[in-house]
Amino acid sequence: MATALEVRHADDVEQALVQLDADFATIYGPDLASWSKGVRGEYLETLRSHRTADREAHPIHPRKASAGRRRRHQRQLPWRITQIAPGAVTVLLAPVWTDATGESHRTFLAQCFDSSGSKIRLPRGGSSRLADLMQGAFPGADWNRAQTWRADSNQVTRWQQRRTS
């Protein structure tokens, strides 16, 4: 039984999985252990495909390394950022959600500034490389919000928009 469900919204995923369970249980019985190996494989593969339909390039909770490796990443972060954006003292990293293919996809947009506040042009793929570096060094940060890295403190803080009155 091949169930082709077009799941476009994250809210519909749970309902689609419940319906898939009901369909397979109706045809093959409620006991998963009694199903043939091929049916079980098709069922598990269908579940996996529905659950990963909205998978992101940069996960919400990035990879977690050991504490020593995170400290090393944090120590090396200023040097690595300098390799990508020479002279950068501030990096603003903001998540951008796109829906070009029908699936929600998160990418990051980075803007680097030098000590005078001038924008530094990034090379191709620089935003993605900066996002990977910062997520590796600061996995506990909320990457669904814009974050600011400053060279003087070597810390990531949540970006605060200035209010003008």
Side-chain angles (χ1 to χ4, degrees), residues 92-95 142-148 156-160:
L92 172 63
L93 192 65
D142 182 8
W143 294 106
N144 285 324
R145 306 250 184 232
Q147 301 288 333
T148 303
V156 169
T157 57
R158 186 171 167 198
W159 179 67
Q160 297 291 327

Side-chain angles (χ1 to χ4, degrees), residues 1 3 17-47:
M1 174 177 154
T3 306
L17 293 174
V18 168
Q19 184 61 43
L20 184 69
D21 284 340
D23 291 346
F24 270 85
T26 301
I27 296 171
Y28 299 107
D31 185 21
L32 185 72
S34 65
W35 296 358
S36 71
K37 195 174 190 179
V39 170
R40 215 174 22 241
E42 180 181 348
Y43 170 74
L44 295 174
E45 181 62 28
T46 306
L47 285 179

